[in-house]
Amino acid sequence: MALTYSSMLELGTDLIPFELPNTINESVFSDKDLDPTRPTLIMFICNHCPYVKAVTKDIVNDCGELKKLGINSVAICSNDSIKYPEDSFENMIKFSIDNKFNFPYLIDETQEIAKSYEAVCTPDFFGYNKNLELQYRGRMRELKNLIPISEGESDLFKAMKQISETGQGPKDQIPSAGCGIKWKYD
């Protein structure tokens, strides 16, 4: 498991449209299903990554609190599920149920959405203001040996709350870090 840091897509980048299968009800979910008057958090995660597993509880808790602030949250898995069957759609459904996901969990089988977002690791977070302009592309919180360093509000929660209140993300942002996305190679 090689540690990979997020690519830090340029702030101000517009939200990239998507339309992907959703594990919650096995329907199709798109960016058009989000409330366009609210900030939005897009997360690239997967089922098997130890970095994702270390913050899954935080992700679910934060997304629940962000929802109370009127912030949309969506997670996307872009890993190659042939080489990594733990990240198959069926296992995504189980993972989302077991962890009580309170947000759509989508599969990006072609990996085109991850490439469009320049997502490179799991977890990788992209926070948008109500104008759907990227304002945060940092980490959830600091980890040491896959254990959160501090309790309380995460870097991600504080950033999304700030975006909700001001339309702007924090000046200082620390890249997310985790396992590299498992790309399909021809």
Side-chain angles (χ1 to χ4, degrees):
M1 136 185 97
L3 186 62
T4 302
Y5 291 90
S6 62
S7 63
M8 304 296 278
L9 187 64
E10 186 175 342
L11 292 176
T13 301
D14 290 336
L15 185 131
I16 297 158
F18 58 87
E19 186 174 359
L20 299 167
N22 183 3
T23 62
I24 301 299
N25 56 16
E26 299 186 47
S27 64
V28 173
F29 189 92
S30 84
D31 58 292
K32 305 224 179 333
D33 294 315
L34 299 167
D35 183 341
T37 65
R38 303 287 184 177
T40 296
L41 171 63
I42 306 290
M43 305 170 277
F44 288 85
I45 66 171
C46 69
N47 305 340
H48 84 275
C49 172
Y51 295 95
V52 172
K53 288 179 178 181
V55 296
T56 297
K57 184 177 177 183
D58 285 327
I59 289 172
V60 173
N61 290 340
D62 280 5
C63 287
E65 292 303 309
L66 292 173
K67 187 174 187 174
K68 292 176 188 175
L69 298 176
I71 298 171
N72 302 304
S73 298
V74 176
I76 300 171
C77 179
S78 299
N79 277 357
D80 178 354
S81 62
I82 302 299
K83 292 181 186 161
Y84 297 87
E86 191 173 343
D87 292 329
S88 71
F89 190 68
E90 294 75 23
N91 285 325
M92 288 173 60
I93 293 170
K94 183 178 180 339
F95 191 74
S96 65
I97 292 168
D98 290 350
N99 289 288
K100 299 179 175 69
F101 280 10
N102 48 14
F103 47 83
Y105 188 24
L106 315 177
I107 189 165
D108 176 21
E109 291 180 286
T110 67
Q111 302 184 317
E112 291 303 314
I113 301 304
K115 289 175 185 172
S116 295
Y117 275 80
E118 298 181 25
V120 295
C121 62
T122 56
D124 214 347
F125 302 99
F126 298 82
Y128 294 84
N129 62 19
K130 67 180 181 178
N131 298 322
L132 302 180
E133 301 161 331
L134 184 64
Q135 295 297 313
Y136 187 72
R137 69 291 191 252
R139 68 183 180 187
M140 171 57 117
R141 65 170 65 246
E142 184 178 5
L143 297 176
K144 183 175 183 178
N145 299 321
L146 298 174
I147 298 171
I149 295 296
S150 61
E151 295 193 21
E153 291 182 341
S154 68
D155 295 358
L156 176 68
F157 180 83
K158 288 186 248 182
M160 291 306 299
K161 183 177 177 185
Q162 179 178 330
I163 290 166
S164 176
E165 293 170 351
T166 69
Q168 302 289 313
K171 278 189 165 196
D172 296 323
Q173 299 184 16
I174 300 169
S176 188
C179 297
I181 290 180
K182 307 309 183 213
W183 301 108
K184 296 177 182 179
Y185 295 105
D186 296 337

